[in-house]
Amino acid sequence: MSHDYLSQTPFLDYGSKPIQALIAQRGWAELDEGERIGAAYDYVRNEVLFGYNSDDALPASQVLEDGYGQCNTKGTLLMALLRALSIPCRFRGFTINKALQRGVVPELVYPLAPRNIIHSWVEVQYRGEWLELEGFILDQGVLSALQAAFPERSSLCAYGAGTDCLQAPNVAWAGQSTYIQKTGINRDFGVFDSPDAFYANHRQLTGFRGLVHRLFIRHWMNRRVAQIRSGRVPKIPGGDTNLLPAKTIAMEKEAV
């Protein structure tokens, strides 16, 4: 089975003018391989704020225009930037338990949320191995606010974070894998060449629920994220911020 980890796709539309303009403006193409990965990664982590778009299945250029995103949409943008910079990358799909979003999803509608939520990370080929990049999801403002709100905690599964090391999570690019939601994962769909291939068979924000999410709930969630970023972290009823066991699922490295 052949794989294509550099091609442009409808979602990975890195030939679009906004993406090409960003790369040219920042001078990323002139950097060496590790610096190119780090530049794209750092941009998506902190200059594209954590937030909820109208859909998971959006082209990278739309995510860039929105200026915010969550795991799936920020991942699409990161993949597009990496491929534009000649860095091979691929998509890995999962689901996470909805408890990871407790505190971001308003309590009024939390019971209605699907128990398993579509999740993904980006796998990048660097120095002959595949690295797993997930730590770009929360911008530093949100992460710092959670660290300040829970200074004594190491494990947290709520507010968009799923980590066993809240005070020092492995989120910065340093030539290694990064994670910030890994402990919430409960199903592994495997590796795909592109988000297009994954979303062709795995969609969640559809039908009436999807419409309500797009028109109302996501805006409510984005206001709560902004509240968290400002340092006002909403309390969860009962104070339970570790709603899942602090564990991860075993991940086998896919053969190249």
Side-chain angles (χ1 to χ4, degrees):
M1 185 179 192
S2 62
H3 297 282
D4 191 344
Y5 300 131
L6 285 172
S7 286
Q8 185 173 202
T9 70
F11 287 167
L12 304 178
D13 58 342
Y14 60 75
S16 64
K17 289 182 179 180
I19 291 178
Q20 289 297 316
L22 172 65
I23 291 172
Q25 179 186 33
R26 300 295 177 102
W28 291 342
E30 308 305 317
L31 303 175
D32 67 28
E33 183 183 34
E35 290 174 331
R36 293 200 306 275
I37 297 172
Y41 179 91
D42 290 344
Y43 178 85
V44 172
R45 183 164 84 95
N46 283 319
E47 296 191 54
V48 180
L49 298 179
F50 177 51
Y52 293 85
N53 313 87
S54 61
D55 200 344
D56 288 331
L58 294 179
S61 58
Q62 180 61 57
V63 183
L64 181 62
E65 181 179 340
D66 286 351
Y68 60 87
Q70 32 78 1
C71 55
N72 302 312
T73 51
K74 290 182 78 168
T76 295
L77 177 57
L78 178 57
M79 287 187 68
L81 293 173
L82 291 170
R83 290 193 181 187
L85 294 167
S86 302
I87 304 294
C89 59
R90 63 192 187 189
F91 178 104
R92 188 153 186 170
F94 306 94
T95 61
I96 54 174
N97 190 290
K98 71 175 183 178
L100 188 142
Q101 294 191 355
R102 192 83 181 263
V104 174
V105 177
E107 286 299 314
L108 183 65
V109 296
Y110 179 79
L112 304 178
R115 189 171 75 86
N116 300 313
I117 299 170
I118 293 293
H119 176 58
S120 62
W121 67 40
V122 175
E123 297 190 350
V124 60
Q125 194 173 50
Y126 180 58
R127 294 182 175 175
E129 65 176 323
W130 287 100
L131 303 179
E132 300 161 349
L133 302 182
E134 190 205 50
F136 58 82
I137 300 167
L138 301 186
D139 60 80
Q140 189 59 47
V142 170
L143 180 57
S144 294
L146 294 178
Q147 290 169 331
F150 305 102
E152 305 301 322
R153 294 195 68 99
S154 56
S155 178
L156 179 68
C157 191
Y159 304 105
T163 179
D164 289 333
C165 46
L166 177 64
Q167 298 306 320
N170 183 19
V171 295
W173 167 251
Q176 299 177 332
S177 297
T178 68
Y179 306 101
I180 194 58
Q181 292 188 344
K182 190 176 182 182
T183 63
I185 292 173
N186 57 17
R187 182 179 179 186
D188 182 0
F189 289 112
V191 171
F192 298 79
D193 284 11
S194 68
D196 310 55
F198 178 78
Y199 293 125
N201 295 305
H202 303 282
R203 296 289 297 275
Q204 197 155 54
L205 300 175
T206 59
F208 179 73
R209 279 189 177 184
L211 180 64
V212 172
H213 174 85
R214 287 190 292 275
L215 295 180
F216 302 106
I217 296 175
R218 73 182 183 94
H219 298 293
W220 199 350
M221 293 169 69
N222 285 337
R223 287 194 292 271
R224 290 172 74 89
V225 171
Q227 180 181 343
I228 293 169
R229 191 178 290 112
S230 72
R232 296 177 291 120
V233 179
K235 292 191 179 298
I236 291 175
D240 191 349
T241 54
N242 192 25
L243 302 171
L244 291 177
K247 65 180 181 180
T248 61
I249 61 173
M251 298 290 176
E252 283 192 7
K253 293 286 186 181
E254 295 288 329
V256 177

